[in-house]
Amino acid sequence: MNTSLIEHIYLILRNAKLTTTRQAFSQEYVGKNQNWSAYQAHMKRDFSIAGAINCLRSIRLCKERDAALDLVQLCALREAEALLLEHLSKRYSVAEVVS
């Protein structure tokens, strides 16, 4: 099964109990409408450059601000961050994203 990066990141965060629904993920991590994730899946789209950067920045903020994160959550955030950076580099030739 070939899943999109959006779905993969969502599942990483949900499994670590960092988000609960695709709607919450769309709003809290990507900064989009609650139906954004469902629409992207329906259209067979993946992260745009803006969506990936928004999600990356949200993940970095979560890592910095939430002192109550457990090890599983920190590992999930790091994994999601690495995947987004790889996506931005390979697909859009973005070498670095500053917060």
Side-chain angles (χ1 to χ4, degrees):
M1 185 166 102
N2 190 11
T3 61
S4 70
L5 182 59
I6 293 169
E7 182 70 7
H8 190 68
I9 298 286
Y10 163 70
L11 291 173
I12 289 168
L13 298 175
R14 189 193 72 192
N15 290 339
K17 297 182 177 31
L18 291 163
T19 193
T20 54
T21 64
R22 285 174 177 77
Q23 293 86 355
F25 169 73
S26 296
Q27 291 179 306
E28 296 166 10
Y29 284 91
V30 191
K32 303 283 186 180
N33 176 289
Q34 68 177 2
N35 298 316
W36 175 85
S37 178
Y39 181 75
Q40 299 308 311
H42 173 73
M43 298 301 290
K44 297 183 183 355
R45 294 182 183 165
D46 216 329
F47 278 109
S48 65
I49 191 168
I53 289 173
N54 285 347
C55 190
L56 179 62
R57 287 183 172 154
S58 296
I59 285 168
R60 287 177 173 172
L61 270 172
C62 186
K63 280 176 31 184
E64 291 172 11
R65 290 188 177 168
D66 196 342
L69 294 171
D70 63 31
L71 185 58
V72 169
Q73 292 171 322
L74 281 172
C75 288
L77 290 169
R78 288 180 188 137
E79 180 182 0
E81 181 179 14
L83 289 168
L84 285 164
L85 287 169
E86 179 181 2
H87 173 74
L88 286 165
S89 175
K90 285 185 177 180
R91 181 144 186 207
Y92 300 109
S93 299
V94 173
E96 188 176 338
V97 177
V98 294
S99 295

